[in-house]
Amino acid sequence: MLILTCSSKLQLLESVLRKGLPETVLVCGAVMHINRGNPAQHEVVVDSWPEFKAVLTRPRKEVVKDKRDCYANLHAAFYREEDACRTLLENKDAVDWDKAFQLQGLQDGLYQAVKDMAEARRVHMEPYFYQAALHPDPLHLGTLSPSDAPLVNDTWAFASNDRSLRYLRSLIEVFPNACLLDQKGQPVAWCLSDALGRMIHAYALPEYQGKGHMKTVFQALGRKLQAKDFALYGGVLPENQNSKKFLISQGFHLLSLTNYVLLFTPNHLK
């Protein structure tokens, strides 16, 4: 067995595990944390390198101080060859069977292997079975940049010219906003705020509508505005029943007040 400590090897392992999703997702998640500051103070054990057949993530030995703490002593495993995984898990330097620990994996062979090991060692095993779920298009929170203004302008019903584009770009540059980005870093849902402190110009691209993404964006922007002591408010067209239902679901109260938006243009400027 080998403990991987080299950052370049760990980065390579992450890229290999990503290609093996979804079966590798538990171990991949642990390795990603390790490569991003290692907040849980975990480490990676492989049977061999670079052509590994089994990989195990676990806390560093100094992390778990209570021998009965199976919550803190979290392990995850993935294998390409079941026999290699059995050999690794049998290795006392890989897994300390004298301590309480938790092992997670997504492969049926792993369950049977550790079940046999536990019975042979007279170690009590308490299994729980969850059905795994993976989002096919993972998104992450971000903020719009001025270069995203044309997209916002193109999807705004009241936009029509360079002035609306300039207006939206200024909102993005000056005031808080929140958005969801796809894997390529492109915005798919967003909400801006304006000079009056309103939550405004909320939108999700058609293929991302009805999936709860606006809730995520609204809550993200709401936290930003609340941190600055702003009231959370906006407006909705009276006939837009879907938006009304959404706002109510997010705890907004529909007021009896009308938000008048009045646009004036002198005749000589038309």
Side-chain angles (χ1 to χ4, degrees), residues 33 65 82 104-105 120 137 158 163 172 200 206:
H33 272 310
K65 298 179 173 60
E82 187 176 329
Q104 294 197 26
D137 188 18
F158 298 99
R163 288 185 290 276
I172 293 170
I200 198 167

Side-chain angles (χ1 to χ4, degrees), residues 30-95:
V31 173
M32 290 179 66
H33 272 310
I34 292 171
N35 288 338
R36 292 159 178 75
N38 203 3
Q41 295 301 297
H42 279 200
E43 61 187 5
V44 177
V45 180
V46 292
D47 67 312
S48 58
W49 186 261
E51 298 299 324
F52 68 89
K53 300 179 183 67
V55 56
L56 175 76
T57 63
R58 67 183 188 186
R60 292 173 178 167
K61 290 184 178 180
E62 65 272 16
V63 172
V64 182
K65 298 179 173 60
D66 185 348
K67 291 186 177 182
R68 297 185 178 185
D69 190 352
C70 66
Y71 306 104
N73 201 10
L74 171 62
H75 297 56
F78 167 77
Y79 64 80
R80 289 168 168 167
E81 294 185 10
E82 187 176 329
D83 287 343
C85 185
R86 283 179 176 265
T87 300
L88 182 61
L89 297 176
E90 290 272 12
N91 191 324
K92 62 181 178 61
D93 292 327
V95 178

Side-chain angles (χ1 to χ4, degrees), residues 150-219:
L151 174 62
V152 180
N153 193 51
D154 289 343
T155 55
W156 183 31
F158 298 99
S160 60
N161 51 44
D162 290 341
R163 288 185 290 276
S164 62
L165 176 61
R166 186 166 60 246
Y167 158 72
L168 292 168
R169 183 179 290 116
S170 70
L171 294 189
I172 293 170
E173 290 176 337
V174 176
F175 304 108
N177 72 72
C179 72
L180 278 173
L181 304 169
D182 64 16
Q183 289 179 299
K184 296 180 180 179
Q186 298 301 308
V188 300
W190 56 81
C191 186
L192 283 64
S193 61
D194 68 4
L196 303 180
R198 288 180 302 177
M199 302 176 76
I200 198 167
H201 304 309
Y203 186 79
L205 297 180
E207 60 268 36
Y208 291 90
Q209 293 175 9
K211 299 181 179 180
H213 298 324
M214 288 312 306
K215 175 182 177 181
T216 302
V217 170
F218 256 69
Q219 291 180 348

